[in-house]
């Protein structure tokens, strides 16, 4: 069988007023990725060779974001929001190329699975002219109902507002996702009118029209969870929760240990090697890779960072974009690392900020070390050589280099380069006055003092 072509058309012209946001609704993120990105990704995974978008006026941002991630695609602007059929017809130029399969998807329904779209395409490949994706709703209120004849074939979709009381008891609902034999479009949609409660051009009317033309209408069922749409922040949170569950499950299946998976938050692209261990309450922003055997301890926050094999991060560590932690390196509590390479086996164990730095293999960075990378105007780099030892409470004023195997005495403010194997010390000499404290006590006698003997 020759490969069937597929156009996925994503409707995203909704205003999303209930989100109360300055951003277009489909740009809201789920697991660190805009909803539109999730939908396009699934469309691609289901084998679409072309994707197109319908957006509302003033939301060019959506087109830009989609193209950045998925390459060139046709984007159509729906000036007036006259209904889902009207939205699809806005993309007429894309439809006229007549792909074998045309899938209509919603930009605000990001949990749909590639397998479900593949099932729709298979049904089209088996000769269906129109395929509805249906689901059984726990509460069908608001959805279009699938009206079946006595043999169980779907003959129409009735929108809630146009449905009779009896029809409203139907729990089999329209998800909104539909598949069409491409050659039928746009002619079929042009016959759709707006004689209904909302005075909108309903894509769902295509079903009764297709039946009247003796075309074959089929339906595929999926879980309600897959077709949860986002219209409000509460629904966004619900969709996020489902997405997190899936991502945790995927991580566990890939060989990650999580003591309390329900407290670990992942991004759509978080990548784990085998035997990674994650303690409770860890947040992964986008762009994180943790390699085999890495341990991420409790309460760490990690984004756009790489954690090497067998490395340990946390508890209470923060890895910001561009942090690359080498194999078996250790990053401990209250340590923040940004745009820095930490070499294999290096240790940055306590209360430290490392930014814009390169730390060599097996270097040891003492507690309270700060790379002073910003002078108020520009960022500068710090280079710490392999095996160097930075004493506690050191300030490294960048740009500065500490050579291989060098020592920096604790409490130093290092402003000049330190050569390999040298000792750098920058502090005033210690003064010790024997008996001084005792004499003070004598002088001020039993008077109030913070140093009273008890
Ligand atoms: C639609 C379906 C309904 C289904 C429900 C599932 C129709 C007539 N009804 O209803 O059967 O149960 O989805 O959630 O199709 N959009 C545009 N331009 C428009 C109108 C809508 O781009 O002019 C987009 C929206 O951004 C949204 C999607 O189409 O992503 C659905 O539109 P919406 O108005 O939410 O449809 P519902 O009334 O929920
Ligand atoms: Ca909706």
């Amino acid at each position: 069988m020759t490969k069937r072509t597929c156009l996925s058309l994503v409707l995203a012209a909704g205003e999303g007023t209930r989100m109360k946001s300055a951003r277009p609704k489909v740009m809201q993120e789920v697991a660190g990725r805009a909803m539109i990105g999730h939908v396009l990704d699934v469309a691609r995974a289901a084998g679409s060779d072309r994707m197109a978008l319908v957006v509302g006026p003033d939301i060019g941002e959506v087109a830009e974001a989609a193209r950045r991630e998925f390459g060139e695609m046709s984007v159509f602007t729906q000036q007036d929001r006259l209904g889902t059929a009207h939205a699809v017809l806005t993309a007429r130029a894309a439809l006229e190329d007549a792909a074998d399969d045309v899938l209509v998807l919603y930009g605000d329904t990001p949990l749909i699975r590639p397998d479900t779209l593949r099932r729709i395409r298979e049904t089209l490949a088996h000769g269906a002219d129109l395929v509805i994706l249906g689901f059984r709703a726990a509460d069908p209120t608001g959805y279009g109902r699938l009206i079946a004849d006595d043999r169980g074939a779907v003959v129409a979709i009735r929108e809630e507002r146009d449905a009779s009381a009896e029809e409203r008891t139907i729990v089999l609902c329209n998800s909104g996702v539909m598949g069409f034999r491409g050659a039928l479009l746009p002619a079929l949609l042009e016959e759709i009118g707006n004689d209904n409660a909302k005075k909108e051009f309903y894509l769902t009317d295509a079903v009764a029209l297709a039946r009247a033309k003796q075309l074959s209408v089929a339906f595929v069922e999926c879980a309600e969870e897959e077709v949860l749409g986002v219209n409000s922040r509460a629904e966004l949170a619900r969709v996020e929760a489902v997405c997190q569950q899936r991502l945790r499950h995927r991580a566990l299946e890939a060989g990650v240990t999580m003591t309390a998976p329900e407290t670990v938050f992942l991004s759509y692209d978080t990548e784990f090697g085998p035997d990674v261990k994650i303690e409770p309450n860890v947040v992964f922003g986008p762009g994180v890779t943790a390699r085999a055997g890495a341990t991420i301890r409790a309460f760490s926050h990690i984004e756009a960072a790489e954690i090497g094999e067998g490395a340990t991060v946390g508890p209470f560590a923060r890895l910001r974009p561009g942090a690359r932690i080498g194999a078996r390196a250790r990053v401990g509590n209250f340590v923040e690392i940004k745009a820095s390479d930490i070499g294999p086996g290096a240790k940055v164990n306590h209360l430290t900020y490392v930014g814009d730095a390169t730390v060599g293999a097996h270097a040891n960075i003492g507690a309270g070390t700060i790379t002073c990378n910003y002078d108020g105007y520009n960022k500068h780099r710090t280079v710490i050589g392999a095996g160097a030892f930075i004493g506690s409470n050191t300030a490294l004023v960048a740009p500065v280099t500490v050579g291989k195997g060098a020592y920096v005495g604790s409490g130093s403010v290092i402003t000049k380069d330190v050569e390999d194997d040298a000792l750098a010390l920058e502090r005033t000499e210690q003064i010790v006055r024997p008996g001084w404290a005792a004499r003070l006590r004598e002088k001020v006698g039993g008077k109030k003092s913070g140093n009273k003997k008890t």
Side-chain angles (χ1 to χ4, degrees), residues 13-14 78 81-84 87 106 108 143-144 159 174-175 198 202:
Q78 189 189 20
R81 223 175 153 276
L82 301 180
T84 42
Y106 291 172
D108 60 3
Y143 290 114
E159 291 306 299
N174 173 32
S175 69
K198 274 171 105 177
Y202 289 166

Side-chain angles (χ1 to χ4, degrees), residues 219-299:
F219 94 95
V220 161
E221 199 178 321
C222 73
E224 178 165 19
E225 182 193 275
E226 277 188 59
V227 289
L228 288 174
V230 172
N231 301 295
S232 65
R233 302 277 180 172
E235 286 171 354
L236 182 65
R238 185 164 169 217
V239 161
E240 176 78 38
V242 172
C243 192
Q244 288 299 332
Q245 263 168 19
R246 287 185 182 178
L247 291 168
R248 289 169 193 140
H249 181 75
R250 187 171 83 183
L252 294 166
E253 292 287 298
V256 173
T257 298
M258 291 192 247
T259 17
E262 67 283 3
T263 68
V264 173
F265 293 83
L266 301 162
S267 277
Y268 73 100
D269 62 348
T270 314
E271 269 183 52
F272 295 117
D275 291 313
V276 167
K277 193 176 165 214
I278 307 169
E279 292 183 358
N281 296 298
V282 175
V283 176
F284 293 93
V288 175
T289 301
R291 302 199 192 289
T295 299
I296 297 135
R297 305 200 55 202
F299 297 99

Side-chain angles (χ1 to χ4, degrees), residues 158-434:
R158 194 89 68 238
E159 291 306 299
E160 166 102 5
R161 294 210 213 177
D162 305 297
S164 66
E166 196 194 333
E167 286 167 341
R168 286 183 188 181
T169 65
I170 297 171
V171 295
L172 191 57
C173 293
N174 173 32
S175 69
V177 175
M178 281 194 206
F180 295 90
R181 178 155 67 83
L184 291 176
L185 302 171
L188 183 68
L189 302 187
E190 265 158 10
E191 289 185 44
I192 292 175
N194 65 348
D195 182 17
N196 53 51
K198 274 171 105 177
K199 295 279 167 265
E200 280 190 359
F201 296 88
Y202 289 166
L203 182 60
T204 47
D205 283 353
V207 174
L209 270 174
R211 290 289 301 198
K213 292 179 186 299
Q214 320 295 325
L215 295 171
S216 114
V217 174
F219 94 95
V220 161
E221 199 178 321
C222 73
E224 178 165 19
E225 182 193 275
E226 277 188 59
V227 289
L228 288 174
V230 172
N231 301 295
S232 65
R233 302 277 180 172
E235 286 171 354
L236 182 65
R238 185 164 169 217
V239 161
E240 176 78 38
V242 172
C243 192
Q244 288 299 332
Q245 263 168 19
R246 287 185 182 178
L247 291 168
R248 289 169 193 140
H249 181 75
R250 187 171 83 183
L252 294 166
E253 292 287 298
V256 173
T257 298
M258 291 192 247
T259 17
E262 67 283 3
T263 68
V264 173
F265 293 83
L266 301 162
S267 277
Y268 73 100
D269 62 348
T270 314
E271 269 183 52
F272 295 117
D275 291 313
V276 167
K277 193 176 165 214
I278 307 169
E279 292 183 358
N281 296 298
V282 175
V283 176
F284 293 93
V288 175
T289 301
R291 302 199 192 289
T295 299
I296 297 135
R297 305 200 55 202
F299 297 99
S300 294
H301 190 283
I302 299 163
E303 53 188 326
E306 222 178 283
I307 302 171
E309 270 186 41
T312 300
V313 171
F316 297 98
R318 178 167 185 210
L319 301 185
R320 290 173 50 204
R324 280 195 296 269
I325 313 303
R328 283 165 293 285
R330 304 179 76 87
V331 173
N333 41 268
F334 307 107
V335 170
E336 173 180 343
I337 297 183
K338 186 215 79 172
S340 296
D341 283 300
I342 308 297
K347 291 182 190 156
V348 192
N349 272 334
H350 335 264
L351 298 153
T352 288
Y353 172 62
V354 178
D356 303 304
T358 304
V359 176
H362 301 286
N364 191 324
I365 314 281
T369 298
I370 306 288
T371 53
C372 309
N373 57 331
Y374 186 51
D375 58 14
Y377 299 93
N378 293 300
K379 300 279 172 66
H380 302 284
R381 291 201 69 80
T382 300
V383 178
I384 297 170
F389 183 98
I390 311 295
S392 295
N393 198 28
T394 293
L396 298 161
V397 182
V400 74
T401 298
V402 176
K404 286 185 219 127
Y407 262 67
V408 173
S410 33
S412 299
V413 176
I414 300 297
T415 52
K416 294 180 214 145
D417 290 353
V418 179
E419 65 193 62
D420 293 358
D421 300 315
L423 166 70
L425 256 186
E426 189 282 334
R427 46 164 114 116
T428 51
E429 214 149 304
Q430 184 170 325
I431 299 165
V432 179
R433 303 211 163 98

